[in-house]
Amino acid sequence: MGEGFAGRAGLITGAGSGIGRAAALKFASEGAKVVIADVDMAGSETTRAMIDQIGGEAICVRTDVTQAAEVEALVQETVGTFGRLDFAFNNAGIAGDIVPLTDYSEELWDRVIGINLKGVWLCMKYEIRQMLSQSPGGGAIVNTASVMGLISSATNPVAYTASKHGVIGITKNAALAYAESGVRVNAVCPGYIMTPLVAGVFERHPERKAQIVADHPVGRLGVPEEVSEAAVWLCSDAASFVNGTAMTVDGGYVAH
Ligand SMILES: NC(=O)c1ccc[n+]([C@@H]2O[C@H](COP(=O)([O-])OP(=O)(O)OC[C@H]3O[C@@H](n4cnc5c(N)ncnc54)[C@H](O)[C@@H]3O)[C@@H](O)[C@H]2O)c1
């Protein structure tokens, strides 16, 4: 176990699976007290058991990031249990079906934007309120965007592209608004990472897999741990001068 986050507490949304789970484990292995926030309680409990196994400390709080009252309660429970909110990784998200823009339904648009974009805003709203009010004040926030927040592709679902571009926008907005208050806000932009989210895409569209892999200059997809390394670093003191950035973790996907 490292000591970089000893005495610090934070929350991670979407920590019941994939990138969020890898990040929860990494934060805990660095000594952080971790709140696992997800709608999937079975997945959350698995993450907690994995943290237990490495001697870390974590609780699970069922949270739907689209519901303001639940996000507010999540922050309250974090502070009630661990005393403070030092960092947050706003990572919960969905892909949504791959449907052409002209066939995309309003319902799917609202769902993807609701979780991926509104959810990140709601999380920052209550997290930053807490970070401003605690003593000593301040904290670090990382939002999960995507390479689809920087570029797009002809087949990437329209709401997903919109939501992830939006995440980078609100990351910059918050970074500027609260920089003087000691709150740093950054984003990570993963390429395709082997998680249940991407496994689902490949299951529904097996014909797309070879091209997606080929789009990564390193010739492979990423693994969740490669993204969690970046998220943890951005929340750490080592990144004390990093604010408002959108860091790619993509094997070179957007470099060409
Ligand atoms: N896997 C990739 O290739 C990839 C690439 C770029 C960006 N991302 C982003 O990374 C993040 C994590 O994705 P992942 O690949 O680990 O997916 P995942 O499906 O493995 O995990 C996502 C988690 O979010 C949770 N979640 C969904 N809706 C929620 C809600 N309303 N409230 C709270 N939790 C909710 C799910 O239950 C799940 O546990 C997402 O924002 C995704 O868009 C993933």
Side-chain angles (χ1 to χ4, degrees):
M1 294 239 306
E3 301 261 313
F5 282 79
R8 297 189 193 182
L11 68 86
I12 299 150
T13 69
S17 179
I19 293 166
R21 171 177 289 161
L25 276 158
K26 177 71 182 164
F27 277 115
S29 76
E30 293 289 330
K33 292 167 182 161
V34 169
V35 177
I36 299 160
D38 205 301
V39 285
D40 175 0
M41 287 313 284
S44 296
E45 288 299 343
T46 301
T47 304
R48 179 160 68 171
M50 293 167 83
I51 290 174
D52 277 354
Q53 273 182 354
I54 60 167
E57 198 175 340
I59 61 165
C60 302
V61 178
R62 192 198 178 280
T63 311
D64 180 346
V65 296
T66 68
Q67 303 302 309
E70 294 189 25
V71 176
E72 185 174 21
L74 165 68
V75 173
Q76 279 170 358
E77 193 154 345
T78 303
V79 175
T81 307
F82 295 132
R84 298 179 48 81
L85 182 70
D86 296 297
F87 66 89
F89 183 31
N90 301 320
N91 163 79
I94 59 167
D97 294 340
I98 300 179
V99 180
L101 179 149
T102 45
D103 297 330
Y104 212 81
S105 69
E106 276 187 73
E107 188 192 5
L108 186 55
W109 171 274
D110 288 343
R111 186 164 145 69
V112 171
I113 296 290
I115 296 173
N116 293 8
L117 182 56
K118 179 185 170 190
V120 171
W121 162 59
L122 284 176
C123 285
M124 289 202 293
K125 174 174 178 171
Y126 294 105
E127 290 158 0
I128 293 173
R129 279 187 186 180
Q130 171 59 30
M131 287 171 175
L132 297 178
S133 68
Q134 62 196 10
S135 178
I141 294 173
V142 174
N143 299 320
T144 302
S146 165
V147 290
M148 294 303 156
L150 295 163
I151 58 170
S152 190
S153 76
T155 51
N156 194 252
V158 61
Y160 191 82
T161 296
S163 69
K164 295 303 185 179
H165 275 71
V167 167
I168 293 176
I170 63 175
T171 296
K172 291 175 181 170
N173 179 250
L176 294 171
Y178 299 102
E180 286 182 2
S181 306
V183 178
R184 291 186 302 105
V185 188
N186 292 290
V188 283
C189 300
Y192 283 75
I193 309 297
M194 266 322 295
T195 68
L197 180 146
V198 162
V201 171
F202 288 163
E203 214 175 278
R204 294 191 297 276
H205 303 275
E207 75 287 354
R208 300 201 59 220
K209 185 172 179 180
Q211 185 57 53
I212 287 173
V213 173
D215 285 342
H216 295 74
V218 295
R220 66 170 176 86
L221 303 188
V223 294
E225 291 72 20
E226 291 174 310
V227 182
S228 66
E229 286 287 342
V232 172
W233 181 78
L234 285 167
C235 284
S236 76
D237 290 345
S240 51
F241 202 53
V242 183
N243 192 34
T245 199
M247 179 187 284
T248 54
V249 185
D250 67 348
Y253 191 102
V254 300
H256 66 329

